[in-house]
Every structure is written in structure tokens, then in C-alpha cells.
Amino acid sequence: MKKVDLHLHSYASDGEWSPEEILHQVDSHQLKIFAVCDHDVVDCVPRMMELVKDRDDLEFIPGLEASVLYKGKEIHILTYYIDPKDQRLLNLLQKNIDYRENSNRKLIEFLSESYSEITLEGYYNYKYDPYQGGWKAYMYLKDLGLADNLGEYFSKVRGFKVEKDFVSIEEYISKVVAMGYTPVLAHPPAYANGDLYDMKEMDYFRSLGLKGIECYTQYLSNPKNSQYYVDYCQKHNMLITGGSDCHGQFAGRAIGRPTVYEDMIKLK
């Protein structure tokens, strides 16, 4: 039975691995169906498509993980079977890219009031190495010696507030469905007080055109609770996916975990 991981990240967003390294890891962990879903960017997808074009033993699903706004909070929507050259999709994602850049600028200005080492000029001149994983603002603080780990980083930025301005979930789902793509709710336990996300919320997302749910995820404190999401998807004839949300060594989520097999998912 084929092993599956439909949620991997590359250094195009906040992972550590290049497409070549991801392919090496996929082979090392005996995965046969996989997807790279970077945050709001698709830069890795064309190279990965090139790397696997002659691999009859692998199924690569081009994707992305979009941040969307719902009730003022950030929700992630995995989007599968994309065309990375689709200008309509790239235009839709640009709002999120612009928001992140503006938010990072405001964060650096906020931190510079408390730390003389931090300056906008220093941040803009900082050469971020994507192989480190994470993101530029985090690595900037880390290389300044102000944050040795994520816990210290988030401690430093506590108190910083900026209104989130991602594309709305309503706009995003309606547009990607119209483009012919497949939106799936990523790691629903991340938005719940516990493992089980409110079915009324999932009902609303489904009414917008959501096609599936990432039922198998490391975000579950009890893996048996994946059945809650599987049952929901089966009841409503939705797609069933699973993935590790692996970023390489960064963030501590191992590739291929939880273990998911082809017969556990529904992709079409």
C-alpha cells in the first residue's frame, strides 16, 4: 500500500529543504504520493514537477497552503492540483504576500523601540538563508543573538499587534474553486480548543465550496480523533487527506507522520 504525505514545506516559504532534498526525503521515507504546500507561494512547484516528470513510481500533487481570514482569525487552506503559472492564482496570493511584508516592517519598527540592535536598515540588509528554515524576521533576531529558539522569539514579539489582512476565506475558496482547484481545510485541530473543530464552522466552509479536510495530522493530541473528521467527510462526500506539515528540522514535525496510506484518503 502506498504511503502518503500531502503537506510538506520547502525553503520557498518557511521550510528548510530544497525540492531536491524533499525528493530525497520522500524516497528515504518510502512515500509514493506527496504534495508540497508552501505558505502563499508556489515557487517550489515547477522545479518539483521537473524532478518527478520521469518518476512513474511517484505521484506528485502540486499545491500550496493559503492563509485566509475568518472572523478576524487566520485559517489555512491547502489547495491541490494547482497550476503554478496561473496568473489569477498568483494575483490572489499577492495580497497575503504584501500583508506579510508590511507586517514584518511594522514588527521590526516595534522591536527597534526596545532593542538598539534592531533597525529597519539592518533588517532590509540582512541576508536571509532559506536553508535555515523559518522566516526572515525570526532569523534576523536569532542571528542578532536575541532569540535562540521560537519560544524566545514569540516572547520578544509579545505585545506586537497588527490587524490581519489576509484574503477572506469566502473570496479565496470561491475563486480557487472557479479556477478548478481543490481547497482543503488544513489541520483543523489548530483552530480548536482541543482536537475537535466545531462542525458548524466546517459546515460553513463546506457551503463556500470547501472540498475536503486534512483528517490525519500531527496536530491531533489523540490520533484516534482523526475519525471525527473522516466521518464528517464521508457523511458529506468530501475529500479526505493527511500530511505531516513537515518543515524539515524546523518546527519539529517529522516527514511521513502520522503514517497515512492511500486507502485511508480520498483525493477525487
Side-chain angles (χ1 to χ4, degrees), residues 5 21 24-26 29 31 44 56 67 80 86 102 105 128 133 147-148 176 185 187 190 194-195 205 215 220-221 242:
D5 193 330
E21 179 62 18
H24 170 72
Q25 293 291 337
V26 163
H29 290 82
L31 300 172
C44 170
D56 295 334
S67 297
Y80 295 115
D86 188 337
N102 184 53
R105 177 182 59 79
Y128 166 60
D148 287 337
V176 296
L185 180 64
H187 43 59
D195 278 359
F205 300 158
C215 300
L220 287 164
S221 59

Side-chain angles (χ1 to χ4, degrees), residues 5-8 214 218 242-246 253-258:
D5 193 330
L6 298 176
H7 192 162
L8 300 173
E214 187 177 49
Q218 293 187 46
S244 64
D245 195 11
C246 177
R253 287 184 287 271
I255 187 172
R257 293 288 183 271

Side-chain angles (χ1 to χ4, degrees), residues 214-230:
E214 187 177 49
C215 300
Y216 304 102
T217 170
Q218 293 187 46
Y219 288 75
L220 287 164
S221 59
N222 183 350
K224 292 182 179 179
N225 286 332
S226 62
Q227 193 62 43
Y228 171 84
Y229 299 105
V230 171

Side-chain angles (χ1 to χ4, degrees), residues 8 19-24 26-27 31-36 44-62:
L8 300 173
E20 289 81 3
E21 179 62 18
I22 289 176
L23 185 57
H24 170 72
V26 163
D27 287 334
L31 300 172
K32 295 301 180 183
I33 305 173
F34 73 103
V36 175
C44 170
V45 173
R47 177 56 180 160
M48 186 60 71
M49 294 172 74
E50 178 70 20
L51 289 173
V52 302
K53 67 178 182 180
D54 297 322
R55 291 287 302 271
D56 295 334
D57 61 322
L58 291 179
E59 180 179 353
F60 170 65
I61 300 173

Side-chain angles (χ1 to χ4, degrees), residues 59-84:
E59 180 179 353
F60 170 65
I61 300 173
L64 68 97
E65 184 176 14
S67 297
V68 299
L69 198 61
Y70 174 62
K71 293 183 177 179
K73 297 182 179 180
E74 182 179 348
I75 299 287
H76 291 178
I77 301 295
L78 297 163
T79 311
Y80 295 115
Y81 302 104
I82 65 165
D83 175 359

Side-chain angles (χ1 to χ4, degrees), residues 38-267:
D38 284 318
H39 293 284
D40 300 312
V41 295
V42 298
D43 300 26
C44 170
V45 173
R47 177 56 180 160
M48 186 60 71
M49 294 172 74
E50 178 70 20
L51 289 173
V52 302
K53 67 178 182 180
D54 297 322
R55 291 287 302 271
D56 295 334
D57 61 322
L58 291 179
E59 180 179 353
F60 170 65
I61 300 173
L64 68 97
E65 184 176 14
S67 297
V68 299
L69 198 61
Y70 174 62
K71 293 183 177 179
K73 297 182 179 180
E74 182 179 348
I75 299 287
H76 291 178
I77 301 295
L78 297 163
T79 311
Y80 295 115
Y81 302 104
I82 65 165
D83 175 359
K85 296 181 181 179
D86 188 337
Q87 194 59 51
R88 299 169 301 169
L89 179 63
L90 300 179
N91 290 343
L92 183 61
L93 296 172
Q94 189 61 47
K95 178 176 183 178
N96 287 0
I97 294 171
D98 292 343
Y99 162 74
R100 290 187 190 280
E101 291 180 354
N102 184 53
S103 178
N104 283 335
R105 177 182 59 79
K106 290 181 177 180
L107 172 64
I108 296 303
E109 291 176 336
F110 168 80
L111 291 172
S112 68
E113 296 177 1
S114 300
Y115 302 95
S116 59
E117 306 96 316
I118 298 176
T119 65
L120 265 181
E121 182 180 6
Y123 174 73
Y124 286 131
N125 290 333
Y126 174 68
K127 302 300 182 184
Y128 166 60
D129 179 2
Y131 279 103
Q132 298 176 100
W135 57 97
K136 184 176 178 178
Y138 167 58
M139 295 310 302
Y140 176 54
L141 265 65
K142 188 173 183 180
D143 284 352
L144 285 175
L146 295 175
D148 287 337
N149 52 55
L150 283 173
E152 291 187 7
Y153 171 81
F154 286 116
S155 176
K156 288 286 192 302
V157 304
R158 187 178 295 122
F160 172 69
K161 294 182 179 180
V162 62
E163 184 176 355
K164 292 186 182 295
D165 193 28
F166 298 115
V167 62
S168 73
I169 192 170
E170 293 84 0
E171 178 184 3
Y172 183 80
I173 290 180
S174 67
K175 286 188 174 180
V176 296
V177 168
M179 295 175 199
Y181 304 142
T182 303
V184 170
L185 180 64
H187 43 59
Y191 324 118
N193 293 320
D195 278 359
L196 308 182
Y197 193 45
D198 190 338
M199 284 192 181
K200 292 181 180 180
E201 304 285 23
M202 295 191 292
D203 286 343
Y204 177 63
F205 300 158
R206 182 168 53 85
S207 75
L208 298 175
L210 187 77
K211 301 300 183 185
I213 296 174
E214 187 177 49
C215 300
Y216 304 102
T217 170
Q218 293 187 46
Y219 288 75
L220 287 164
S221 59
N222 183 350
K224 292 182 179 179
N225 286 332
S226 62
Q227 193 62 43
Y228 171 84
Y229 299 105
V230 171
D231 290 345
Y232 182 89
C233 289
Q234 290 177 335
K235 178 180 178 180
H236 298 290
N237 194 29
M238 298 177 74
L239 304 182
I240 297 169
T241 76
S244 64
D245 195 11
C246 177
H247 292 64
Q249 299 300 313
F250 183 78
R253 287 184 287 271
I255 187 172
R257 293 288 183 271
T259 302
V260 179
Y261 293 98
E262 184 179 19
D263 66 343
M264 297 166 59
I265 65 172
K266 177 183 176 183
L267 285 177

